[in-house]
Amino acid sequence: MHRVHHFGASAAAIAACRDASIPDGDVLIVPHECAAAVALADPFAVTDDVGEFREIAVEDYLAIIEHTGLAHDVIGRAVDEALRYNMAVAPQFMAFATPRSKLSACEQASTFTIDEILLVSEAINFRVRSFQRLIENSPENHAAMPVWRNAMRQLEEAQGKLLSSTL
């Protein structure tokens, strides 16, 4: 598992990499220099602003992988962190970025297993039975009677929608 290390200066990050206190492939972030890099004995920047990190002039995706000897996901983690901090990623590294979803949180749909749907349906049945017992054991003019009946109706409608959407 990779880690993200934050530094006040790229020179300090380079020194930490050379002291072997940071594993190869970890991500180095230097916010004040707008620089992000991949940790190696001689770390290289993935951002336009390189600080004191090594700059890679190779521009082809496969050539970068060959040149660095790293897997694409290692470089991609540094690129993703740079983007997360709104740093300008060097154009040759943009191909390593993880695609982001274009959907808002409201537009994303959740999926449920049939077991989860049946469990929710059974919970609805239990609650409806509870309301039925309350109605049966209370006088007809009880103040909460309309609320209980309305709650039962809403629960049964929700259960119907839930079960019909899974068919």
Side-chain angles (χ1 to χ4, degrees):
M1 169 124 183
H2 79 285
R3 292 177 24 192
V4 179
H5 306 270
H6 297 263
F7 293 91
S10 54
I14 293 168
C17 288
R18 291 191 178 144
D19 291 344
S21 61
I22 297 180
D24 287 354
D26 277 6
V27 179
L28 309 171
I29 299 289
V30 184
H32 299 304
E33 296 177 12
C34 293
V38 176
L40 294 169
D42 187 17
F44 65 91
V46 297
T47 50
D48 279 340
D49 297 317
V50 297
E52 293 187 36
F53 296 122
R54 177 170 47 114
E55 187 173 357
I56 295 183
V58 178
E59 294 190 14
D60 179 63
Y61 176 86
L62 293 175
I64 292 172
I65 292 174
E66 185 178 319
H67 180 75
T68 62
L70 298 170
H72 68 91
D73 61 323
V74 174
I75 300 168
R77 288 191 297 256
V79 170
D80 290 344
E81 283 298 316
L83 290 170
R84 193 165 76 85
Y85 284 93
N86 295 317
M87 295 178 181
V89 173
Q92 67 266 33
F93 291 105
M94 282 307 294
F96 292 93
T98 304
R100 300 282 186 235
S101 172
K102 300 292 185 211
L103 297 176
S104 71
C106 295
E107 295 171 318
Q108 295 177 7
S110 298
T111 58
F112 300 98
T113 65
I114 191 67
D115 290 337
E116 292 169 327
I117 292 168
L118 292 175
L119 183 66
V120 170
S121 179
E122 186 55 37
I124 291 172
N125 286 337
F126 177 82
R127 193 65 179 140
V128 166
R129 286 191 303 271
S130 297
F131 282 127
Q132 286 172 336
R133 280 192 297 279
L134 284 170
I135 290 171
E136 290 169 3
N137 297 327
S138 299
E140 189 62 37
N141 62 350
H142 192 284
M145 195 68 70
V147 174
W148 294 335
R149 286 194 174 113
N150 189 41
M152 284 177 50
R153 182 187 55 75
Q154 289 178 331
L155 285 167
E156 288 168 343
E157 285 177 15
Q159 184 179 38
K161 288 178 184 177
L162 178 68
L163 294 174
S164 68
S165 67
T166 61
L167 299 175

